[in-house]
Amino acid sequence: QVQLIESGGGLVQAGGSLRLSCAASGRTFRRYVMGWFRQAPGKEREFVAGVTWNSNNTTYSDSVKGRFTISRDNARNTVYLQMNSLKPEDTAVYYCAADRSTLEGVPMTATMYDYWGQGTQVTVSS
């Protein structure tokens, strides 16, 4: 079992930056694909970014590509999401997720992920 705890959300003006962190319990963290998803009010949960266990492959949604950067530190059991040039449409609850099964690549479908954090709110004001 893996527990995920997100932090770093908050209120920021458009154009600003935030860094989200996701701390994971368990020694198996380093084997898992890690992803960030977000869900805005009235919308479905959507993929934001993901990283393979060895950081060799990162994948981003088109809406955040070039602005967000995902990274991980397996020694610290932590995955990060650096968010720059934030826009009001980035406002959402951001979730960290772990995929224990995928061996290659980064799934972009929420159902592929086995463990989820409780979410952290990001609000971008215009």
Side-chain angles (χ1 to χ4, degrees), residues 56-122:
N56 280 357
N57 186 338
T58 55
T59 301
Y60 299 91
S61 67
D62 288 342
S63 61
V64 307
K65 198 172 295 182
R67 300 187 298 122
F68 291 10
T69 302
I70 188 171
S71 62
R72 67 190 296 165
D73 184 340
N74 286 344
R76 296 178 183 271
N77 275 17
T78 303
V79 62
Y80 304 97
L81 185 67
Q82 177 66 44
M83 305 185 296
N84 299 329
S85 302
L86 282 161
K87 305 174 181 180
E89 50 264 43
D90 294 318
T91 295
V93 177
Y94 283 71
Y95 297 92
C96 173
D99 170 8
R100 64 184 177 183
S101 304
T102 299
L103 300 179
E104 294 186 10
V106 176
M108 301 175 70
T109 307
T111 54
M112 292 294 295
Y113 290 78
D114 305 287
Y115 305 107
W116 292 83
Q118 81 289 350
T120 185
Q121 176 71 46
V122 172

Side-chain angles (χ1 to χ4, degrees), residues 3 15 34 41 54-55 81 90:
Q3 289 186 324
M34 297 299 297
N54 57 4
S55 300
L81 185 67
D90 294 318

